[in-house]
Amino acid sequence: MFDPYSIRQEFPILQQPAYEHELTYLDNAATTQKPSRVLERILGYYQTANANVHRGAHFLSDRATSQFEQARQTVERFIHAPENGQVIWTKGTTEAINTVAYGIEHLIDPDDEILISSLEHHANLVPWQQLSFRTGARLRIIPFTSDGKWQAEYANYFSDRTKIVACTQVSNAIGVQLPIKEVIQHAKNVGAMTLIDGAQAIAHYPVSVSELDCDFYVFSGHKMYGPTGIGVLYGKTDALESLLPCQTGGEMVLHVTYQATEFNILPYRLEAGTPNIEGALGLAAACDFLQQHDQEAVLKWEQSLAEKAYSILENTTDIEIFSPKKHSTLISLSVKNTHIMDLNGYLDSKGIAVRGGSHCAHPLMAQLGVSGTLRASFACYNTMEEAEHFANTLLEAIELLQED
Amino acid sequence: MESPSLSSIQAQLQACHSKEDTFRTLVTLSKTLPRLSNDEKADEHKIKGCESAVWLIIEHNHTDFPQFKADSDAKLMRGVLAAILSLVNGKSTTEIQAMDLSSLMSSLNLGSYLTSSRTNGVLAILDKISCR
Ligand SMILES: Cc1ncc(COP(=O)(O)O)c(C=O)c1O
């Protein structure tokens, strides 16, 4: 049975105060906290298995290599990758997207088109924009409304010029889910590659890359209860094969002469240098953590927290809410005539951690007509009391800040 | 509202014993800072690197006593600006140039309102008001 109060006990960081208040951590879309088993996995690695992987045959090196490769398989199973070796370790979502954006450059012609949605994080926008600058290909933005719906003319965006479609599964700024299955289908119909940014989805929604049938799926460990500095580029084998390595060096080679280099096979070909071994193990422990709980119950709980905050705040005149009331694990809003930083400052002074700002999505903020929003994002360890405390404290802040 | 003196601002801020006290004090102080007109909020007066928009104008008016005006779209920042300007209001250029602004800033007890992401902006403000 899923119980947020007992899950909370697994997170040592949540047991401390913030200033003279209890800590209320609602900035989970930025990064989640880490359960003890992830921390112990990392510590345990250094205490019992630390060695460089894939090199030198000795006791520790064998142990480290086998744990590291097991971690890869854990993640592959977690996302239902159809084959082994389809998970490439990166330092996060950003590096995974850049690996693809640089890796496919040799396939892009000046009259090709690259499609992204209008709800992207800068991480799934700037690499494609820069790729379009380097190659002359055209970057086109599929307009989505802020409730995640397509606009009527969407079909026209897909054509035989479309080379790749990159789309987020869930918006980090406004919590809405995008119809990625449709996006992938449209892309397939025109023979384009697909990349799904799962950074905001992976901690909440069960993900099956084989069911989605996308070419690439990317996410970060730190947003799913794992450590920072580790992330995943999943790719279909032929899609990964088509990437030119954008980083070269050790580990990714089979044979080197001064005249030429023979690259290693996948997944190593795309993993130059000593990898983040402890990060990979920590991320695998985070997958185990997520799978040990009833993911559907957790998701319902997180959505009910966002919905609770929503219903407390929705009838306040000056508040505009951008996230959906239902089926969102976060609430994102702005308050008329009140600066986000002031609201953020008051909540912080009460020990409530939220995020105020543009959420690395300047074009989306422009679309919404605001300079930023205040976002409270929920995780499995948050309680109903915390959701209510956030909403009520926000109302207090508005009252205090609007009096003159 | 009349601009409070440096010593009164220092006293108010030093009496704060929690982040929340400081928040409320800054909001109260923000009300003492005269607002700028829309014309004055021109891009040339904007300080870069702040989380909120900050405008700062120094008028010399052919005297040795510069006049400082500032505004922000965030109240907390207006409170911080009221505190910062109290350090230099009514002082001559020579006096201001001789001041150690950053250690004076520490005497204001603004604590974490000056750290982290706000720091860049505040440093740029101090740099501008130092009249160097
Ligand atoms: C939707 C989305 N994409 C990409 C990223 C970038 O992730 P990272 O900074 O871990 O590389 C984030 C992180 O905020 C995100 O929310």
Side-chain angles (χ1 to χ4, degrees):
Chain A
M1 242 280 288
F2 160 69
D3 170 17
Y5 297 91
S6 72
I7 285 194
R8 228 180 143 74
Q9 302 308 315
E10 293 186 53
F11 290 81
I13 202 171
L14 300 174
Q15 320 302 326
Q16 64 184 333
Y19 314 117
E20 63 283 4
H21 301 281
E22 265 178 53
L23 171 65
T24 303
Y25 187 77
L26 303 179
D27 195 15
N28 295 290
T31 200
T32 55
Q33 300 303 344
K34 324 302 174 199
S36 298
R37 78 183 79 184
V38 169
L39 307 178
E40 283 156 14
R41 192 75 192 81
I42 295 168
L43 190 63
Y45 164 70
Y46 283 115
Q47 286 173 334
T48 63
N50 177 48
N52 211 328
V53 290
H54 311 135
R55 299 178 197 178
H58 57 72
F59 174 71
L60 287 178
S61 168
D62 289 346
R63 182 179 272 184
T65 304
S66 102
Q67 293 186 0
F68 180 71
E69 289 306 325
Q70 268 168 27
R72 196 190 302 274
Q73 287 179 18
T74 302
V75 175
E76 282 163 352
R77 278 196 306 274
F78 182 70
I79 59 172
H80 303 276
E83 293 162 37
N84 287 343
Q86 293 180 318
V87 155
I88 310 293
W89 301 116
T90 65
K91 68 185 165 77
T93 308
T94 305
E95 192 180 61
I97 295 171
N98 276 284
T99 300
V100 177
Y102 279 97
I104 63 168
E105 185 172 331
H106 66 110
L107 301 172
I108 306 281
D109 294 324
D111 53 0
D112 285 340
E113 293 183 347
I114 301 162
L115 296 188
I116 62 172
S117 87
S118 61
L119 301 181
E120 299 304 326
H121 185 283
H122 293 160
N124 200 24
L125 186 171
V126 184
W128 305 117
Q129 179 193 57
Q130 299 301 311
L131 174 63
S132 87
F133 292 162
R134 292 195 302 274
T135 57
R138 176 171 173 215
L139 177 68
R140 299 186 70 193
I141 317 299
I142 310 173
F144 278 82
T145 52
S146 56
D147 56 6
K149 298 271 173 3
W150 300 89
Q151 288 179 356
E153 68 277 22
Y154 68 85
N156 303 333
Y157 282 77
F158 294 82
S159 74
D160 53 9
R161 290 167 184 247
T162 312
K163 203 59 171 232
I164 185 161
V165 184
C167 183
T168 193
Q169 185 170 355
V170 176
S171 156
N172 66 308
I174 55 173
V176 73
Q177 297 175 59
L178 278 76
I180 51 166
K181 283 184 185 153
E182 277 177 66
V183 171
I184 293 167
Q185 191 53 54
H186 278 282
K188 277 201 264 187
N189 292 347
V190 297
M193 284 192 276
T194 47
L195 178 142
I196 301 299
D197 176 352
Q200 289 298 331
I202 194 78
H204 305 286
Y205 303 91
V207 169
S208 165
V209 291
S210 49
E211 200 182 307
L212 284 174
D213 201 28
C214 50
D215 291 294
F216 301 105
Y217 190 94
V218 299
F219 56 95
S220 301
H222 70 95
K223 291 181 197 285
M224 53 171 291
Y225 310 103
T228 48
I230 188 79
V232 166
L233 164 62
Y234 155 82
K236 286 186 183 170
T237 304
D238 57 346
L240 290 174
E241 293 284 2
S242 74
L243 300 179
L244 277 187
C246 60
Q247 291 195 39
T248 51
E251 292 270 333
M252 55 82 65
V253 296
L254 286 177
H255 188 67
V256 179
T257 66
Y258 287 121
Q259 285 71 39
T261 293
E262 188 187 347
F263 292 157
N264 204 339
I265 53 163
L266 286 172
Y268 316 110
R269 197 164 64 89
L270 295 169
E271 292 177 350
T274 299
N276 180 356
I277 307 165
E278 103 241 17
L281 303 193
L283 178 51
C287 293
D288 291 340
F289 166 78
L290 274 166
Q291 280 176 319
Q292 215 147 77
H293 299 285
D294 178 349
Q295 274 188 286
E296 204 175 313
V298 173
L299 174 61
K300 280 214 176 96
W301 176 251
E302 293 163 337
Q303 290 174 338
S304 73
L305 299 178
E307 193 175 337
K308 181 70 184 182
Y310 195 111
S311 46
I312 297 176
L313 297 169
E314 67 183 327
N315 294 321
T316 308
T317 342
D318 287 339
I319 297 184
E320 187 177 0
I321 305 180
F322 303 106
S323 50
K325 180 168 184 176
K326 291 185 186 293
H327 310 299
S328 170
T329 60
L330 60 82
I331 178 164
S332 180
L333 56 88
S334 74
V335 182
K336 235 182 259 156
N337 301 320
T338 310
H339 202 278
I340 297 292
M341 289 307 142
D342 290 339
L343 299 168
N344 206 153
Y346 186 73
L347 291 164
D348 174 49
S349 79
K350 295 281 198 178
I352 304 173
V354 295
R355 175 61 55 104
S358 59
H359 313 295
C360 298
H362 293 159
L364 172 57
M365 293 298 124
Q367 181 186 329
L368 298 174
V370 293
S371 62
T373 76
L374 189 80
R375 178 188 75 188
S377 49
F378 299 93
C380 63
Y381 41 68
N382 289 125
T383 64
M384 199 52 86
E385 289 78 11
E386 288 182 310
E388 287 168 2
H389 182 46
F390 155 72
N392 292 325
T393 310
L394 181 65
L395 292 177
E396 238 171 74
I398 295 172
E399 196 174 335
L400 174 75
L401 288 161
Q402 291 196 340
E403 75 185 17
D404 256 313
Chain B
M1 223 183 276
E2 202 184 322
S3 304
S5 68
L6 172 59
S7 56
S8 122
I9 290 183
Q10 274 171 334
Q12 284 179 57
L13 285 167
Q14 270 155 18
C16 295
H17 294 298
S18 68
K19 184 116 192 185
E20 204 179 325
D21 286 348
T22 310
F23 182 92
R24 287 179 191 271
T25 304
L26 286 172
V27 168
T28 311
L29 277 178
S30 74
K31 297 172 190 169
T32 67
L33 192 71
R35 303 303 303 260
L36 291 182
S37 68
N38 282 341
D39 285 348
E40 287 171 315
K41 291 188 201 166
D43 268 354
E44 55 179 310
H45 298 135
K46 218 166 171 173
I47 303 276
K48 294 217 172 73
C50 296
E51 278 180 274
S52 48
V54 171
W55 299 269
L56 178 64
I57 303 176
I58 308 180
E59 287 169 352
H60 290 280
N61 303 324
H62 308 290
T63 75
D64 198 27
F65 291 84
Q67 234 209 315
F68 297 90
K69 294 181 185 175
D71 202 350
S72 168
D73 54 355
K75 281 198 176 177
L76 271 180
M77 201 60 205
R78 286 210 295 282
V80 170
L81 287 167
I84 293 179
L85 294 194
S86 74
L87 298 173
V88 290
N89 271 333
K91 300 268 190 332
S92 73
T93 312
T94 329
E95 282 175 292
I96 295 170
Q97 283 168 349
M99 285 164 90
D100 179 358
L101 284 171
S102 46
S103 61
L104 281 167
M105 282 303 291
S106 338
S107 77
L108 289 172
N109 193 32
L110 281 167
S112 61
Y113 285 104
L114 291 184
T115 54
S116 65
S117 42
R118 292 175 194 91
T119 313
N120 292 333
V122 171
L123 287 181
I125 294 168
L126 291 183
D127 191 50
K128 191 161 171 192
I129 64 170
S130 67
C131 297
R132 287 187 184 131

